[in-house]
Amino acid sequence: MSRTQPQPEAAPALPPPGEALRPEGRWLAEVEASSGVKAGACYGCKKCSNGCPLTFAMDLHPYQAVRLLQLGQMERLESSATVWICASCQTCLTRCPNQVDLPRLMDWLKERLHGRGEEVGEKDIRLFHELFLKGVAKRGRVFEGELMGSYMLRTGGAFGPEAMANARLGLTMLRKGRLKLLPARTRESRWRRALFKKRRGGSHA
Amino acid sequence: MPEVSYYPGCSLEATARDYAESIEGVAKALDLELRELEDWNCCGATAAHSLDHRAALNLAARNLALAMEGPSPLVVPCALCYNRLASARHELMADGSLIIDEIRSLGADYASVEVMELNEYLTTPGMMALAQHKASQDLSGLKAVCYYGCQGQRPPRVTGKTDYENPRGLDRLLAALGVEVMDWPFKTDCCGASHSVARPDLVHALVARLYDRALQQGANCIVTGCQMCQANLDMYQQQIARQMGREVYLPVLYFTEVMGLALGLDQTPRWLGRHLVSPRGLLEGAGLPRQYWERL
Ligand code: SF4
Ligand code: SF4
């Protein structure tokens, strides 16, 4: 990464040259009903995108995601990195004159994609969330040590070029007394088993 | 003695131990009783709301239920935990149908639980006056920008805040404690939060902007009330500075640590000693007595 000052960027071109969008009417109503996000209210003012801190890393700007949903372009939305790059900072929703809940829409899409179990654009981000939730299902609390360990094992961070840097950081944290060596768990466990008993396939879409 | 319910959250037991200890120290000094929720669970953080909306609601609902019996408000030091609990409360007041019986049976009067960020609570006029009254240490050498982060402020329909674009609670508190507070436009900008694990490049780009602006304003430290912000700004500072091609020395202090300094609490150096960017140079330069920095 050479640039340290992300500048507002030109939005990615839509649609790609030579390819026409074929509007698909049914999706908007379906997604609105299931997610509760009133995406149809968007009139394209781009306030959401001008304030979004992460557009520099997105392949669709937030307003484009809403527009694509209005046009029923689900594949484009689902294959975007944007859905995973969104940090849920709530700036867009806060400033949107129509209160289009973009972070909720991004979550809804992530859950739907995750439920289908397919490859996603940003698989490491998904993996991190997945391992985090596994830990919560197991103990009701997060055990950071295990979470980072299993994440690094699965992504290669324990062996690859970052291994040394990761190990050094880990040791420093240990020396500073900021690593917890034993996990905590909730005493009550019935709720945990009931809540996480099986994956609901396919999400609620 | 004021009494509140307290939800520490998972990271305060590990990476943010400095924050946890400073909160306990300050509460004791202010005669504030923190009643930790009995058997609390993880708020679900970014992971739950990203992949499993139902789990996110249930995890928050259980904590809210545990708080129903205790004193009010429910005070939360972590901005993300706060956001998760407050968002779920907002949604559950309208519709609790996704809550499982095992959790619903603990209590479902979500409206009765007032959820408050710790920095919001400690900057209420009464608490602030108390801290100011007890403060003894000269902190005029600290030039701070206050970094609130995003999750404590937005969206306003959930947080109920009115100054969400330009919060001033911490600015006022620090000024009352004698710190020189610098204004800046990035108070509530995002640090990239949990992307620090899977996409550190994104976090580094966002944090570089924050350093750059903080230095431009003439700050010599950043003060925060969120342990995710603290970690992202503290843990990779030298690496990010190299990418920026400039020197950066900006210790990232919890506001409760600054309170510890102001109130002259002996344990303060132990909390500060857990940071990766050592505040030694800052505190020595600011003319604080030796005992605060000599072992950092
Ligand atoms: S701010 Fe709201 S109305 Fe404006 S483009 Fe974004 S989503 Fe649409
Ligand atoms: S919530 Fe997501 S889309 Fe909205 S401003 Fe923040 S990062 Fe951008």
Side-chain angles (χ1 to χ4, degrees):
Chain A
M1 187 198 61
S2 56
R3 190 185 51 225
T4 53
Q5 280 271 20
Q7 300 297 328
E9 317 205 342
L14 281 179
E19 188 189 306
L21 282 179
R22 241 173 266 114
E24 257 270 27
R26 72 192 172 102
W27 280 112
L28 178 62
E30 274 186 34
V31 176
E32 283 198 342
S34 168
S35 68
V37 180
K38 300 278 164 277
C42 167
Y43 50 39
C45 71
K46 304 188 193 171
K47 242 181 134 175
C48 50
S49 309
N50 288 336
C52 172
L54 284 163
T55 48
F56 73 94
M58 288 175 168
D59 52 0
L60 290 175
H61 283 193
Y63 82 93
Q64 291 177 315
V66 183
R67 189 73 186 118
L68 284 173
L69 173 58
Q70 290 177 340
L71 295 168
Q73 306 297 297
M74 283 301 272
E75 305 85 70
R76 304 254 341 225
L77 263 179
E78 290 181 346
S79 59
S80 75
T82 293
V83 169
W84 300 92
I85 297 292
C86 164
S88 210
C89 78
Q90 312 286 329
T91 308
C92 50
L93 167 61
T94 299
R95 296 181 182 166
C96 172
N98 296 313
Q99 288 295 286
V100 176
D101 195 338
L102 268 154
R104 172 75 192 114
L105 174 63
M106 306 286 184
D107 281 348
W108 185 89
L109 286 161
K110 284 191 282 262
E111 179 160 358
R112 180 181 149 88
L113 286 163
H114 178 64
R116 290 207 306 244
E118 294 161 17
E119 277 284 295
V120 297
E122 291 283 333
K123 59 182 190 338
D124 290 352
I125 295 179
R126 177 176 68 181
L127 175 66
F128 179 68
H129 292 332
E130 203 180 340
L131 295 171
F132 189 106
L133 266 187
K134 261 196 192 136
V136 176
K138 186 153 92 183
R139 307 193 174 86
R141 299 255 183 109
V142 169
F143 180 34
E144 290 169 340
E146 177 192 63
L147 175 60
M148 290 311 298
S150 50
Y151 176 82
M152 283 187 224
L153 281 174
R154 295 275 295 271
T155 54
F159 316 105
E162 299 117 66
M164 274 311 285
N166 286 337
R168 257 199 310 273
L169 185 59
L171 283 175
T172 310
M173 296 292 278
L174 186 65
R175 188 164 47 80
K176 301 260 175 193
R178 286 171 59 183
L179 284 191
K180 194 163 189 283
L181 298 176
L182 292 171
R185 60 178 73 231
T186 58
R187 222 178 31 241
E188 223 358 280
S189 60
R190 224 161 49 92
W191 67 273
R192 232 161 47 205
R193 287 195 302 270
L195 182 57
F196 294 102
K197 83 180 148 241
K198 59 175 186 296
R199 267 226 70 77
R200 296 158 304 134
S203 177
H204 26 247
Chain B
M1 182 194 274
E3 212 186 19
V4 295
S5 296
Y6 181 60
Y7 175 82
C10 302
S11 35
L12 268 76
E13 297 198 314
T15 40
R17 241 177 92 185
D18 36 9
Y19 192 22
E21 291 165 352
S22 67
I23 293 166
E24 280 158 33
V26 166
K28 198 156 168 243
L30 297 179
D31 266 333
L32 167 67
E33 167 98 16
L34 301 170
R35 288 254 300 268
E36 184 169 325
L37 294 186
E38 184 74 30
D39 203 37
W40 56 269
N41 55 270
C42 170
C43 72
T46 316
H49 77 72
S50 294
L51 300 187
D52 191 341
H53 181 60
R54 173 174 158 274
L57 280 178
N58 275 280
L59 289 165
R62 182 167 181 275
N63 291 316
L64 292 171
L66 297 175
M68 282 169 201
E69 292 302 304
S72 188
L74 170 62
V75 169
V76 185
C78 162
L80 179 56
C81 299
Y82 162 78
N83 192 292
R84 293 326 307 154
L85 297 178
S87 294
R89 173 179 179 269
H90 183 79
E91 188 168 337
L92 291 171
M93 286 192 311
D95 178 5
S97 58
L98 287 176
I99 301 306
I100 61 174
D101 294 339
E102 289 79 356
I103 291 176
R104 195 201 316 270
S105 62
L106 301 172
D109 184 8
Y110 302 108
S112 71
V113 184
E114 189 193 353
V115 188
M116 220 172 174
E117 257 192 303
L118 177 73
N119 76 64
E120 200 184 345
Y121 182 76
L122 288 181
T123 54
T124 47
M127 294 309 289
M128 201 149 98
L130 188 60
Q132 189 174 12
H133 175 71
K134 299 205 174 199
S136 52
Q137 182 60 53
D138 177 10
L139 297 182
S140 58
L142 299 183
K143 298 179 201 303
V145 286
C146 294
Y147 182 51
Y148 298 76
C150 48
Q151 299 292 310
Q153 310 301 319
R154 296 187 290 257
R157 69 179 184 202
V158 163
T159 64
K161 291 187 178 151
T162 51
D163 58 355
Y164 49 86
E165 291 283 6
N166 183 22
R168 278 156 300 183
L170 287 179
D171 296 58
R172 284 198 200 102
L173 173 69
L174 263 53
L177 298 177
V179 173
E180 186 179 345
V181 181
M182 329 298 276
D183 198 15
W184 73 321
F186 291 164
K187 285 180 180 180
T188 65
D189 278 36
C190 176
C191 71
S194 66
H195 281 336
S196 57
V197 179
R199 288 293 305 269
D201 57 317
L202 302 180
V203 169
H204 296 180
L206 294 172
V207 171
R209 292 178 60 194
L210 299 172
Y211 290 159
D212 197 56
R213 193 57 191 239
L215 291 169
Q216 244 179 69
Q217 302 301 108
N220 59 15
C221 61
I222 299 179
V223 175
T224 180
C226 168
Q227 93 292 342
M228 244 175 353
C229 299
Q230 202 279 344
N232 281 349
L233 270 69
D234 179 52
M235 281 173 59
Y236 315 99
Q237 195 166 103
Q238 283 328 304
Q239 192 184 338
I240 298 171
R242 268 198 303 279
Q243 288 165 3
M244 293 168 73
R246 68 179 290 182
E247 298 242 327
V248 176
Y249 173 61
L250 284 168
V252 188
L253 311 176
Y254 288 110
F255 74 104
T256 39
E257 293 172 334
V258 178
M259 292 177 84
L261 291 172
L263 301 174
L265 306 183
D266 299 339
Q267 321 91 293
T268 313
R270 213 180 49 222
W271 315 330
L272 296 171
R274 298 194 192 277
H275 294 205
L276 271 79
V277 177
S278 165
R280 178 180 177 132
L282 169 75
L283 301 182
E284 189 176 356
L288 266 87
R290 209 177 183 87
Q291 76 259 24
Y292 288 114
W293 47 260
E294 66 185 348
R295 283 194 308 271
L296 292 180

